[in-house]
Amino acid sequence: RIADFLPGKATDRGRTAADNRLFVESVLYIARTGCPWRDMPKEFGNWHSAYVRFARWETKGVWDQIAAALQRDADLEELFIDATIVRAHQ
């Protein structure tokens, strides 16, 4: 769902990104675990290159575009409201 918003497509000017999926997975890993970039597993590649790419995408507004696209197409099928977590006045 986000492939059209990622830079580095064959139709974009400049270099074509071969590993957008792996890069996004590495960013999601960092967000999920909260670990520093330096502690990113080697399977995701060089941590510094990933950080620099993350920062470039942030400057370009790529992450904002992705968030906006995912918000427009929100899948609320698995949204549950459980009475045990809803607090209200008596």
Side-chain angles (χ1 to χ4, degrees), residues 11-63:
T11 57
D12 293 344
R13 288 182 16 202
R15 186 173 176 196
T16 302
D19 60 349
N20 270 344
R21 184 182 184 104
L22 182 64
F23 169 66
V24 171
E25 287 290 329
S26 69
V27 172
L28 292 175
Y29 176 84
I30 294 294
R32 184 173 51 247
T33 62
C35 73
W37 285 97
R38 288 180 187 265
D39 294 340
M40 187 174 76
K42 297 287 184 200
E43 295 84 33
F44 293 122
N46 183 340
W47 70 269
H48 189 262
S49 298
Y51 172 74
V52 169
R53 189 171 178 186
F54 171 81
R56 278 193 201 129
W57 283 22
E58 178 61 33
T59 303
K60 287 176 152 181
V62 173
W63 297 115

Side-chain angles (χ1 to χ4, degrees), residues 58-79:
E58 178 61 33
T59 303
K60 287 176 152 181
V62 173
W63 297 115
D64 292 333
Q65 291 174 353
I66 292 171
L70 292 176
Q71 287 171 355
R72 280 192 305 272
D73 190 25
D75 181 14
L76 301 176
E77 290 178 3
E78 297 183 18
L79 178 68

